[in-house]
């Protein structure tokens, strides 16, 4: 299960003196790819898609409203929802290998997460 960072950082005494949150990819080759649109198309119902959008919109809203400063450390790709995730942080730091792509634009879709 995921961690509710906003609640944890606001309520947990361990984090009361935390001044910043860093969001980064796990392996250095990419920041975040967002949703796999092919999987969504083949496996998700309309209702599933709506629920996922609401979940991610709420998650990014919480990130934007953290009391701490948020920084996206971007190495490699930030695609679709990954770009939206990076834009939800207060600051973005890029490596020379960073690149962004909003694949949903080619499909006539707007951003779904934020």
């Amino acid at each position: 299960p995921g961690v509710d960072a906003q609640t944890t950082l606001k309520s947990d005494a361990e984090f009361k003196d935390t001044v910043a949150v860093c969001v980064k990819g796990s392996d250095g080759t990419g920041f975040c790819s967002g949703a796999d649109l092919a999987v969504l198309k083949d496996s998700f119902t309309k209702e599933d898609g709506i629920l996922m959008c609401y979940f991610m919109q709420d998650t990014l809203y919480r990130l934007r409203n953290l009391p701490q400063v948020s920084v996206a450390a971007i190495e490699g790709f930030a695609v679709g929802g990954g770009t939206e995730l990076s834009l939800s942080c207060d600051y973005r730091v890029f490596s020379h290998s960073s690149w962004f792509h909003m694949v949903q634009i080619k499909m006539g879709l707007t951003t779904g997460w934020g």
Side-chain angles (χ1 to χ4, degrees), residues 9-113:
L9 292 173
K10 281 186 173 180
S11 64
D12 195 323
E14 176 183 353
F15 297 106
K16 70 178 173 56
D17 296 324
T18 301
V19 296
V21 174
C22 181
V23 180
K24 66 182 223 58
S26 62
D27 65 3
T29 62
F31 175 71
C32 179
S33 63
D36 184 331
L37 297 179
V39 169
L40 293 179
K41 179 182 170 198
D42 293 337
S43 303
F44 274 43
T45 66
K46 178 180 176 181
E47 291 76 21
D48 291 335
I50 290 169
L51 289 174
M52 187 175 94
C53 282
Y54 284 147
F55 175 79
M56 288 308 302
Q57 288 168 359
D58 182 61
T59 299
L60 297 183
Y61 172 83
R62 289 171 177 265
L63 176 60
R64 288 190 300 272
N65 288 286
L66 285 173
Q68 293 81 6
V69 173
S70 58
V71 179
I74 303 162
E75 290 186 82
F77 58 83
V79 181
T83 299
E84 295 177 67
L85 174 61
S86 73
L87 293 173
S88 294
C89 292
D90 297 316
Y91 297 96
R92 286 150 294 284
V93 179
F94 308 96
S95 71
H96 289 288
S97 67
S98 299
W99 57 277
F100 298 83
H101 186 60
M102 298 296 280
V103 296
Q104 60 268 50
I105 292 170
K106 290 182 181 180
M107 305 170 93
L109 301 172
T110 63
T111 57
W113 292 1

